[in-house]
């Protein structure tokens, strides 16, 4: 089974900061990687699909990159509404198999 | 507008079963895969399984095999998730989610979540 890890598990940042979260897969997953944002008491929200494609309506300060085993989510110019937990998600393109990373919590410094 | 509206909170005793519903609207129900994801208090997201658009096939995460059943009713555009032999570790918020159409696979629309508490 492919395992997903995220680092850091939490980070403290200020409004306006540039923040990067890393997601690592235990083996190569091409670009079958999505990113979600979840705020307390809410359902997750899809931000980025296929590693780097921004979902319609998501602010352009969010960007994704990477392929193979290493992926990043970058927030350029953190806004107050961005303080949340972020999850990466691996999917198998051919099989019904989905795995979430453990999450990264972004808190206010 | 696309909506997934889930049933309300449930409390069950250990060993019991729970059935959570997810009523969809605003899109062609029969064209999309549906998933269930759960989240224990203070924990991350855990994928539970998938049901095909026609409902004729399901795949469950190994952890839940033999204990979960996902079904769908085309006449009411509703999907269901039943989890049996509940234990305290099953206390969590359960989400339904729609899988996107197209060349990628992601969960583009989510229900609001249903809290299930398991306690004696």
């Amino acid at each position: 089974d492919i395992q997903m890890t995220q680092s850091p598990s939490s980070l403290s940042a200020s409004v306006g900061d540039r923040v990067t979260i890393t997601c690592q897969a235990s083996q190569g997953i091409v670009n079958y990687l999505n990113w979600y944002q979840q705020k307390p008491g809410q359902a997750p929200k899809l931000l980025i699909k296929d590693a780097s494609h921004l979902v319609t309506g998501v602010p352009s300060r969010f960007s994704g990159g990477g392929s193979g085993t290493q992926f990043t989510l970058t927030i350029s110019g953190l806004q107050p509404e961005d303080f949340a937990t972020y999850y990466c998600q691996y999917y198998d393109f051919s099989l019904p198999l989905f795995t979430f990373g453990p999450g990264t919590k972004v808190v206010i410094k | 507008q696309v909506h997934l509206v889930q049933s309300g909170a449930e409390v069950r005793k250990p060993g019991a079963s729970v059935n959570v519903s997810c009523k969809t609207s605003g899109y062609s129900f029969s064209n999309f895969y549906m998933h269930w994801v759960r989240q224990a208090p203070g924990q991350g997201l855990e994928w539970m399984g998938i049901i095909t658009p026609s409902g004729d096939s399901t795949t469950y995460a190994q952890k839940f095999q033999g204990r979960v059943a996902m079904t769908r009713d085309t006449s009411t555009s509703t999907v269901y998730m039943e989890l049996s032999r509940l234990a305290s570790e099953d206390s969590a918020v359960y989400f339904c989610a729609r899988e996107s159409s197209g060349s990628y696979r992601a969960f583009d629309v989510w229900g609001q979540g249903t809290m299930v508490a398991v306690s004696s």
Side-chain angles (χ1 to χ4, degrees), chain B residues 6-7 18 20-22 35-40 46 48 64 67-68 81-83 86-97 110-118:
Chain B
Q6 298 183 221
S7 50
V18 69
V20 180
S21 67
C22 170
H35 299 257
W36 289 89
V37 175
R38 80 175 185 181
Q39 185 171 39
E46 183 174 31
M48 299 181 68
F64 301 102
R67 210 161 64 89
V68 69
M81 187 282 300
E82 182 175 28
L83 189 62
L86 292 169
S88 58
E89 307 85 76
D90 294 315
S91 294
V93 175
Y94 290 76
F95 295 98
C96 60
W110 294 68
Q112 83 277 19
T114 297
M115 170 73 77
V116 174
V118 183

Side-chain angles (χ1 to χ4, degrees), chain B:
Chain B
Q1 197 168 7
V2 178
H3 289 292
L4 306 181
V5 179
Q6 298 183 221
S7 50
E10 304 272 12
V11 178
R12 293 287 185 273
K13 294 189 182 303
S17 299
V18 69
N19 198 319
V20 180
S21 67
C22 170
K23 184 169 178 57
T24 75
S25 61
Y27 71 98
S28 180
F29 177 73
S30 299
N31 288 348
F32 289 81
Y33 291 83
M34 294 294 293
H35 299 257
W36 289 89
V37 175
R38 80 175 185 181
Q39 185 171 39
Q43 302 301 307
L45 303 170
E46 183 174 31
W47 179 74
M48 299 181 68
I50 179 177
I51 183 166
T52 56
S54 64
D56 61 349
S57 180
T58 53
T59 300
Y60 305 128
Q62 188 169 10
K63 177 177 182 177
F64 301 102
Q65 285 179 9
R67 210 161 64 89
V68 69
M70 297 175 187
T71 57
R72 58 197 294 163
D73 183 344
T74 302
S75 67
T76 59
S77 299
T78 302
V79 291
Y80 299 91
M81 187 282 300
E82 182 175 28
L83 189 62
S84 59
R85 303 194 301 277
L86 292 169
S88 58
E89 307 85 76
D90 294 315
S91 294
V93 175
Y94 290 76
F95 295 98
C96 60
R98 187 185 80 167
E99 182 179 326
S100 54
S101 62
S103 61
Y104 65 97
R105 306 187 72 180
F107 303 167
D108 62 351
V109 184
W110 294 68
Q112 83 277 19
T114 297
M115 170 73 77
V116 174
V118 183
S119 174
S120 55

Side-chain angles (χ1 to χ4, degrees), chain A residues 26-80:
Chain A
S26 58
Q27 52 186 281
I29 60 171
V30 193
N31 66 335
Y32 302 147
L33 192 286
N34 305 315
W35 288 98
Y36 298 83
Q37 175 195 65
Q38 187 182 32
K39 298 179 181 178
Q42 297 185 18
K45 173 187 174 183
L46 179 65
L47 297 178
I48 288 173
K49 55 191 181 185
D50 280 357
S52 61
H53 296 92
L54 200 64
V55 170
T56 301
V58 174
S60 59
R61 62 181 179 272
F62 291 91
S63 63
S67 66
T69 61
Q70 195 92 354
F71 301 87
T72 58
L73 172 68
T74 298
I75 310 172
S76 301
L78 202 63
Q79 296 299 301

